[in-house]
Amino acid sequence: MSDSIGTSPTPIGDAPISSPVEATGSAAGSLQNDGGILTVDAAAAAAAYDPESGFQRDEFGKETLAGTVQFHERHVFLCYKNPQVWPSHLESSESDRLPRLLSAAIKSRKKEMNKSTRLTICEGEDGTDASNGDVLIFPDMIRYRRLTHFDVETFVEEALVKNTEWLPGSPTPITGAYVFVCAHGSRDKRCGTCGPALINKFNEEIGVRGLQDQITVSGCSHIGGHKYAGNVIIFSPVNGEVTGHWYGYVAPDDVAVLLDQHIEKGVVVDHLWRGQLGLSEEDQKNALELKRQLANLTQQNSGGCCQGSNGNASCCQNGTQKETNSKSERAISENGNDKIAPDDKVGSSARRSRSRKICHLPTLLETWEKEDTYAVLAVGLAGAAIFVAYSMYKHHHSK
């Protein structure tokens, strides 16, 4: 796409890398290793299997993710250098004036902003479509060019406090999907290990699908929740609207699922979902629980049932058992509608495809006319929607 962010490492090849020594390449963009020359991409792939900081560490996938995103309504990304040179606390670094001044200005004016605003640093490189100093604002989907430390105060005043245009920057619209992957290794080794490997995998899958002009991938600075690495944020338009969804415990095997389900179909993959822009932590938990309740209600009203947990269930259908592949992941759609999304490539290596048994048991609803069943379902869905709306209303008006 024309509005791409910075540059990302060259995708990993198809051949698996069992050890760093097996990977060789040109001297450009490579690291020296006792076994020869090790490419940066190969180093990232090999490091991903570090038992202490990689995808196979003991803590990976162990904690609940939903409700782990702090409330914010606007996300600002400043393009600035790259993760390899970022200090651990970039926004307070004396040697990195622009991130420090922008962070301080946003914090000092936050009470004057009508939108809770979060700042994150993403990769920037002069001479590219994401030059140092470029600013991207989501969900507004706009870009300001070449912010300098001299402009910070007026930029924050005009663009973030007054919500008008910062004229020197001449805002331009940005399109397509944006994927940000935390790769801030100096802040936490887990992000520094998992992030580059995920960036490589995203770029590889995007290349295979021919989506280079539609999806932009960039490494970003600390976003909170090191223990959930790999951490990914996706901004993707659905029905003309864009919001940001956060994912945690993302492994390379999950990348294809996120591309196929979230970006292509607008369906959020719930087992990796941490939360989203515009919802409080409580609302994020409620949204996931509501989605599950609606999915159960929909399944029951369609005449199906399943008993058991963790995807393993045993029940009957017309006196017999029917086993089906568990290729569906319940997910939250970005436009608020509940969907059951086909998930042909389930999760990471720790989440293998499972089978479960679906049963059909007589229920009271089955004795009604179809129109009556739909009416009850509509009332249930409406009531659930009112519950969520009221919860969000209480949250915002309690501040």
Side-chain angles (χ1 to χ4, degrees):
M1 75 173 43
S2 60
D3 288 304
S4 60
I5 302 179
T7 57
S8 300
T10 305
I12 303 174
D14 293 332
I17 298 172
S18 59
S19 69
V21 177
E22 296 179 21
T24 60
S26 64
S30 61
L31 303 173
Q32 289 294 330
N33 180 272
D34 291 340
I37 297 176
L38 177 64
T39 66
V40 174
D41 293 344
Y49 295 96
D50 184 332
E52 295 184 0
S53 59
F55 301 110
Q56 297 186 6
R57 63 188 189 274
D58 290 339
E59 68 179 19
F60 190 88
K62 295 296 178 62
E63 296 196 24
T64 300
L65 291 171
T68 59
V69 177
Q70 292 183 349
F71 174 75
H72 62 297
E73 299 166 289
R74 176 170 55 194
H75 206 149
V76 176
F77 285 83
L78 170 66
C79 300
Y80 184 80
K81 299 183 179 180
N82 61 75
Q84 288 72 41
V85 300
W86 291 340
S88 60
H89 290 77
L90 182 58
E91 292 85 353
S92 60
S93 171
E94 289 295 326
S95 60
D96 296 285
R97 185 184 301 181
L98 181 56
R100 173 169 54 84
L101 292 179
L102 182 58
S103 176
I106 290 176
K107 289 180 180 179
S108 67
R109 304 296 299 276
K110 65 180 181 180
K111 292 183 179 180
E112 302 172 63
M113 299 178 189
N114 62 1
K115 295 180 182 178
S116 176
T117 300
R118 186 184 189 102
L119 172 66
T120 299
I121 311 302
C122 66
E123 294 179 87
E125 182 180 355
D126 291 336
T128 70
D129 284 338
S131 296
N132 288 305
D134 285 2
V135 179
L136 300 98
I137 303 179
F138 298 93
D140 306 64
M141 297 296 285
I142 59 174
R143 177 202 305 275
Y144 284 97
R145 293 286 190 183
R146 300 303 182 105
L147 180 72
T148 72
H149 63 276
F150 298 108
D151 307 313
V152 165
E153 294 295 336
T154 56
F155 170 77
V156 171
E157 170 74 18
E158 300 297 330
L160 304 181
V161 175
K162 294 183 177 179
N163 295 309
T164 58
E165 291 186 356
W166 179 57
L167 295 178
S170 300
T172 57
I174 54 178
T175 59
Y178 283 75
V179 177
F180 295 96
V181 181
C182 183
H184 200 165
S186 63
R187 186 72 175 267
D188 189 89
K189 186 178 180 181
R190 289 164 292 191
C191 294
T193 298
C194 296
L198 287 177
I199 292 172
N200 289 338
K201 187 62 175 179
F202 267 109
N203 283 324
E204 177 186 0
E205 292 288 341
I206 289 169
V208 169
R209 291 164 169 76
L211 300 175
Q212 296 92 329
D213 293 335
Q214 302 175 40
I215 305 173
T216 301
V217 182
S218 174
C220 72
S221 65
H222 171 65
I223 59 175
H226 304 299
K227 59 186 176 182
Y228 305 128
N231 285 301
V232 174
I233 305 174
I234 299 178
F235 294 93
S236 181
V238 176
N239 295 330
E241 296 184 1
V242 174
T243 188
H245 286 268
W246 296 44
Y247 289 106
Y249 293 139
V250 179
D253 288 347
D254 299 312
V255 168
V257 178
L258 292 175
L259 291 174
D260 294 339
Q261 297 300 315
H262 187 115
I263 294 181
E264 180 179 348
K265 300 178 181 178
V267 177
V268 174
V269 183
D270 65 350
H271 68 279
L272 301 173
W273 189 70
R274 291 185 56 186
Q276 76 178 70
L277 179 148
L279 291 184
S280 68
E281 292 95 325
E282 181 181 357
D283 289 335
Q284 292 160 21
K285 296 176 183 177
N286 290 340
L288 187 59
E289 180 60 27
L290 173 63
K291 183 274 306 179
R292 288 170 175 164
Q293 292 176 4
L294 294 179
N296 290 335
L297 180 61
T298 301
Q299 185 180 47
Q300 291 173 10
N301 285 342
S302 65
C305 73
C306 190
Q307 298 174 347
S309 61
N310 298 325
N312 299 313
S314 178
C315 50
C316 65
Q317 178 168 337
N318 297 329
T320 62
Q321 291 185 340
K322 180 179 180 182
E323 183 163 328
T324 62
N325 288 333
S326 178
K327 289 186 178 181
S328 62
E329 291 287 334
R330 295 191 183 101
I332 307 165
S333 72
E334 295 209 43
N335 60 7
N337 297 322
D338 185 68
K339 297 184 179 180
I340 302 297
D343 192 356
D344 293 332
K345 299 180 181 179
V346 179
S348 67
S349 57
R351 292 182 290 276
R352 300 298 184 187
S353 297
R354 301 169 302 214
S355 64
R356 64 178 179 181
K357 298 174 183 178
I358 307 300
C359 72
H360 183 98
L361 296 179
T363 66
L364 177 61
L365 288 174
E366 292 178 315
T367 66
W368 293 6
E369 294 294 333
K370 183 181 293 184
E371 290 79 4
D372 296 325
T373 301
Y374 289 160
V376 171
L377 178 58
V379 171
L381 294 174
I386 292 172
F387 170 77
V388 172
Y390 179 67
S391 298
M392 296 180 69
Y393 172 85
K394 287 179 60 180
H395 171 77
H396 291 301
H397 286 268
S398 64
K399 294 184 177 182

